[in-house]
Amino acid sequence: MGKTDVLAEIMLWLMTVGIVAAIGTVVWSAVLTTRARIKGGRVKENARARRIGWLTAGGTALLLLVTFLIASSASLNINGKPYSDAFWLRLADMFILSTAVLLVVAVVALVYSKIKN
């Protein structure tokens, strides 16, 4: 096993750990939020907070769907070999485009916040 194979194996394990940690965090957060809403705890029960939560979740899902649909599936040359799996190419491009859009939205929100205050 060469040095490149070991590094690739390490990267795959780190990505797997990261994905499992992210999914675990999402599930944990959903459970805590649901418990708090049932008990009437620290989560606000007003309509505005609920609407903001639904708009954020819906907007993120819509952004991911739109960026997946407009993403490129053009073949790439990786290590001298063509890679042409359209689904994974689109998925990778979706995350890159979504990240760029969310970064722009964050900067615009920051500038708006500074100007408003």
Side-chain angles (χ1 to χ4, degrees):
M1 190 180 272
K3 185 177 183 179
T4 335
D5 295 335
V6 172
L7 291 176
E9 193 70 26
I10 290 170
M11 287 302 297
L12 287 173
W13 278 107
L14 286 174
M15 289 183 340
T16 303
V17 168
I19 289 171
V20 168
I23 291 171
T25 303
V26 167
V27 169
W28 179 59
S29 175
V31 167
L32 287 180
T33 302
T34 304
R35 278 187 184 171
R37 285 189 180 167
I38 290 172
K39 293 180 181 178
R42 58 182 187 233
V43 176
K44 293 181 181 177
E45 285 296 330
N46 63 20
R48 185 170 183 217
R50 190 176 305 148
R51 190 175 333 125
I52 289 171
W54 281 110
L55 285 174
T56 301
T60 303
L62 182 65
L63 174 67
L64 290 172
L65 177 66
V66 168
T67 54
F68 181 81
L69 293 175
I70 66 170
S72 172
S73 60
S75 180
L76 295 175
N77 278 332
I78 300 173
N79 292 332
K81 298 177 184 174
Y83 185 77
S84 60
D85 189 342
F87 174 75
W88 291 110
L89 288 168
R90 280 183 176 265
L91 196 69
D93 207 16
M94 173 192 76
F95 285 118
I96 293 168
L97 292 172
S98 296
T99 301
V101 168
L102 290 173
L103 282 171
V104 169
V105 168
V107 169
V108 169
L110 179 69
V111 169
Y112 176 76
S113 172
K114 291 293 182 184
I115 292 173
K116 187 177 177 182
N117 293 331

